Amino acid sequence: MSAPEASVQVSFKNRAKTALADRTLKIAIDRTTGTAEAKRAVAVAAFPEFQDARARGRAIKDHVIAYLDHYLEQFERNATASGAKVHWASDDAEARAIITRICLDAKARLVTRSKSMLGEEIGLPHALADAGIERVETDLAEHIIQLAGEAPSHIVWPAMHRTREQVAELFKIAHHPPPAADDPATMVQSARRELRAKFLGADIGISGSNFLVADTGATCTVTNEGNAELTTTPPRIHIVTAGIEKIVPTTAHALSLLRLLVRSATGGELTQYTTFHCGPKRPGDADGPEEMHIVLVDNGRTRMLANEFREMLRCIRCGACMNHCVVYRQIGGHAYGGTYPGPMGSVLTPVLNGLAGSRDLPNACTMNGRCAEVCPVEIPIPTLLRAWRIRSWRERLEPGSLRAGIGVWAVLARRPGLYRLASRIGVRAIRLFGKGGWITRLPLAGGWTAHRDLPRPTGRTFMDQYRAQQADKGDRP
Amino acid sequence: MSGQPNPRVGLFVTCLVDAIRPSIGFSAIQLLEEAGCRVEVPQAQTCCGQPALNSGDEKDAAALARQTIAAFEGFDYIVLPSGSCAGTIVHGYPNLLANDPVWAPRAQAMAAKTHEITSFLVDVMGFHTKGRRLEATATYHDSCAGLRELGIAAQPRALLAEVEGLEMRGLEGNDVCCGFGGTFCVKYSDISNAIVTEKAEAIERTEADLLLAGDLGCLMNMAGKLNRRSARTRCFHTIEVLAGRAGGPAIGEEG
């Protein structure tokens, strides 16, 4: 997929700039996020218990996070009893090694995969390619980006950066025969035809998991296309990859969270397909895999348990935060440069990739709070982004100019008398750069005046004027 | 609430109003006095500390929090013509000073009596806009911190509804950020520009004479963009209209 030169560091600001210049991208983003926002609003309005459900969702997640070890061990016991094999991976490399080993041991040549962000997080597509295994993405959007050689740009709609017109072009070249027309229904039929043979010919199916149910040992996947069922049932071996935070105590808890997840993600009441996988095929079962492997991945999650990002473990990957984010809606997912984009990604990417290389992400946020407002499990995302800024400040990762600027400002702001004097001088100086009411260019403020005018300070500072008024009043008898 | 008829109010004018547009501070004094408050402006005020807080500089932010608390905690109420700065005092200070046994209770006490001005006028003072007349159409942008941290939405609208002759028009995306975000707008200038461009387009579509909002930072961003686009929309802080000052120069107009 990505050539070696893709690994050359391109800064967030450059990626954002490229994205901002791409008008087709903006059309694609607006279509998807606009629809998602409107549908979510309708779904929430039609669900009067939404706030209570949210509080319950948060409580469920907080509980399992507090007793994560207990529920994970319970899950392992029950999954093992159902005939599945549970593997533990402490990081992405271990997870890749486990999965590749299972594939190679089974002499697998063709693997089907249903969409999973965890698979992206651990670099599974590359690992399979490196092992010489053909990988077929079965989710329609993942199919699109596989054909395009791209990474997901959204956690629910991985191909949301492409317009349907662009997808039609892609299918025309990649599908044999090409779709007869470029309306969505014909294109979907074409993709189904392309994928059908792969579903039936795969040696191994790999899926993610939306919930791991501790008391049954089941894993749960939700999709709207049915591709997860066709990925996990026909092949001889089913591999599930899941982050350890996906655990819930019981099926009822999974369903409570599902009500929040679907409404927040797509505005639906329920996904078209909700499947619980409990062990491999049993004697007498008509179908199902002969082997089921569950790979539980930590990859930084237990570190989050013990630090200020613990609340992020509540995340159920609905994507509502990015759909409602003004920054995401301008630059799209690829500009973020990590597996997870948008507000939730700006919290997670520094966990996964380190803060030094992703310092921009928690900073490129206006702190408007809309992400937290729509989060179905009440994650205080702006607070977590600020926590990264605090770390970044402590670790001195900011550009020296910003530190110096804040430093000088703080020295003045902490001395009111001096501050009065400085603002008096500053206001006079700034006024020199304007004519009339506006300043169109101001040294050191190019970031502002490149795009907008600056209202010229109207005259003396408030404090000066106020003091003069008070003195006048005092003079009067 | 207090039930006091003439509370002593400390006005925190905010650093932006102090430097850029004092008219907002004088509007605040006027309205608070009309509501029966005894208004004082402590000289020890500078900035609430939000630039440090949002840059991750906790040490300077905490120092400014202590300085502001010391200057204002003696008042019955602390009032600001900004939801953003009020939000910093109400939510930011108690968090910043949570582990300081001396200052944590003082920060909480201060937070409990700190208000953004339109919400203070309506919720605490039961104030009504009387005798104001303005023949104009206006649209209103909900600044994010006020809206989401302090629940300010109904109060400014209620006060504006009492201005005779003023026709309010809905703004598409009224609760969507304008792209200001404090230092964000200069650090990520291109992204901020894309956001405020969409905001300006939505404002222009209303064809309203006036754009009103409750935070000078957001207003400077939107007004600056509107002017760069040669739009005719005039921009005022909500309380300037409520104080009858919309006959004077709008943001960016010469006095």
Side-chain angles (χ1 to χ4, degrees), chain A residues 92 113-125 137 139 141-142 145 151-159 206-210 241-243 245-246 297 299 301 315-319 322 328 333-334 338-342 344-345 348-349 352:
Chain A
D92 54 340
R113 187 167 161 260
S114 76
K115 177 185 166 304
S116 142
M117 289 308 296
L118 184 87
E120 302 292 330
E121 177 188 321
I122 60 174
L124 190 53
E137 295 293 338
D139 174 85
E142 290 280 351
I145 59 173
S153 67
H154 189 288
I155 63 171
V156 175
W157 298 286
I206 304 180
S207 72
S209 176
N210 294 91
T241 61
E245 87 287 5
K246 294 285 182 190
V297 181
N299 205 28
R301 288 163 176 77
C315 179
I316 55 173
R317 308 290 193 259
C318 70
M322 54 199 79
Y328 180 90
H334 287 155
T339 301
Y340 303 99
M344 55 80 81
L348 283 176
T349 302
L352 296 168

Side-chain angles (χ1 to χ4, degrees), chain B residues 17-31:
Chain B
V17 168
D18 178 46
I20 308 284
R21 195 162 170 84
S23 154
I24 297 168
F26 290 110
S27 300
I29 293 175
Q30 181 188 326
L31 290 168

Side-chain angles (χ1 to χ4, degrees), chain B residues 3 13 15 19 27 55 73 91 113 116 120 122 141 178 195 204 217:
Chain B
V13 289
C15 56
S27 300
S55 298
E73 65 190 340
H91 299 292
K113 54 186 183 177
E116 179 276 341
F120 177 75
V122 172
H141 165 78
C178 71
I195 299 170
E204 289 165 26

Side-chain angles (χ1 to χ4, degrees), chain A residues 12-13 16-17 20 26 30 37 326-327 329-331 359-361 363-370 373 383 386 389-391 393-394 398 402 406-407 409-417 419-420 423 427 430 435-441 445-467 469 473, chain B residues 11 13 15 17-26 29 33 39-47 49-60 63-64 67 144-145 147-149 175-196 198 217 219-225 227-229 251-254:
Chain A
F12 169 78
K13 282 186 182 178
K17 203 168 190 134
L20 288 169
K26 179 65 176 150
D30 280 347
E37 181 183 357
V326 281
V327 174
R329 285 173 77 149
Q330 295 298 340
I331 64 175
R359 191 199 67 82
D360 269 311
L361 302 182
N363 279 286
C365 161
T366 67
M367 301 301 234
N368 66 73
R370 212 158 175 243
E373 185 178 62
T383 304
R386 190 181 282 118
R389 296 181 186 188
I390 291 167
R391 280 201 181 199
W393 189 270
R394 279 195 201 135
E398 268 67 33
L402 177 74
I406 293 277
W409 165 84
V411 163
L412 295 172
R414 291 172 65 175
R415 289 161 186 80
Y419 183 87
R420 291 278 96 74
S423 48
V427 160
I430 291 171
K435 259 198 339 237
W438 295 101
I439 297 167
T440 51
R441 277 174 77 178
W448 183 283
T449 53
H451 302 296
R452 35 180 130 46
D453 299 326
L454 182 71
R456 191 174 173 220
T458 53
R460 288 189 300 155
T461 65
F462 172 87
M463 293 306 258
D464 279 357
Q465 294 185 42
Y466 178 77
R467 272 208 296 215
Q469 271 189 9
K473 278 187 198 165
Chain B
L11 177 67
V13 289
C15 56
V17 168
D18 178 46
I20 308 284
R21 195 162 170 84
S23 154
I24 297 168
F26 290 110
I29 293 175
E33 286 181 348
V39 184
E40 291 176 42
V41 183
Q43 290 294 305
Q45 61 179 288
T46 61
C47 166
Q50 200 179 151
L53 184 65
N54 281 346
S55 298
D57 174 9
E58 283 187 305
K59 194 163 150 276
D60 283 321
L64 280 167
Q67 173 178 307
C144 301
L147 177 68
R148 299 200 177 85
E149 292 176 18
D175 63 342
V176 176
C177 176
C178 71
F180 173 62
T183 54
F184 170 86
C185 71
V186 289
K187 283 196 287 189
Y188 301 93
S189 168
D190 295 333
I191 301 173
S192 172
N193 176 49
I195 299 170
V196 73
E198 278 186 25
L219 277 164
M220 285 167 62
N221 182 42
M222 293 183 288
K225 189 68 200 176
N227 193 61
R228 183 64 60 93
R229 292 166 57 88
I251 292 171
E253 288 175 2
E254 223 173 347

Side-chain angles (χ1 to χ4, degrees), chain B residues 107-230:
Chain B
Q108 281 158 12
M110 170 100 164
K113 54 186 183 177
T114 297
H115 301 268
E116 179 276 341
I117 186 161
T118 60
S119 57
F120 177 75
L121 288 171
V122 172
D123 299 340
V124 180
M125 299 306 293
F127 178 76
H128 289 279
T129 317
K130 285 196 197 88
R132 293 275 180 266
R133 192 165 180 85
L134 180 65
E135 295 294 339
T137 54
T139 193
Y140 179 81
H141 165 78
D142 291 89
S143 287
C144 301
L147 177 68
R148 299 200 177 85
E149 292 176 18
L150 303 173
I152 294 158
Q155 304 93 331
R157 288 180 172 85
L159 294 171
L160 289 167
E162 293 169 334
V163 177
E164 285 178 48
L166 183 65
E167 178 199 326
M168 295 302 295
R169 292 186 179 171
L171 175 64
E172 195 187 327
N174 61 288
D175 63 342
V176 176
C177 176
C178 71
F180 173 62
T183 54
F184 170 86
C185 71
V186 289
K187 283 196 287 189
Y188 301 93
S189 168
D190 295 333
I191 301 173
S192 172
N193 176 49
I195 299 170
V196 73
T197 299
E198 278 186 25
K199 178 61 73 178
E201 287 165 356
I203 293 165
E204 289 165 26
R205 279 197 297 275
T206 67
E207 296 184 353
D209 305 323
L210 311 178
L211 169 70
L212 309 179
D215 261 280
L216 183 54
C218 317
L219 277 164
M220 285 167 62
N221 182 42
M222 293 183 288
K225 189 68 200 176
L226 287 163
N227 193 61
R228 183 64 60 93
R229 292 166 57 88
S230 307

Side-chain angles (χ1 to χ4, degrees), chain A residues 59-69 71 245 247-249:
Chain A
I60 292 168
K61 292 300 288 193
D62 282 347
H63 175 79
V64 289
I65 292 163
Y67 299 97
L68 197 55
D69 51 345
Y71 286 114
E245 87 287 5
I247 198 93
V248 290

Side-chain angles (χ1 to χ4, degrees), chain B residues 235-254:
Chain B
C235 305
F236 286 98
H237 192 290
T238 307
I239 65 170
E240 292 179 291
V241 167
L242 298 176
R245 288 169 174 256
I251 292 171
E253 288 175 2
E254 223 173 347

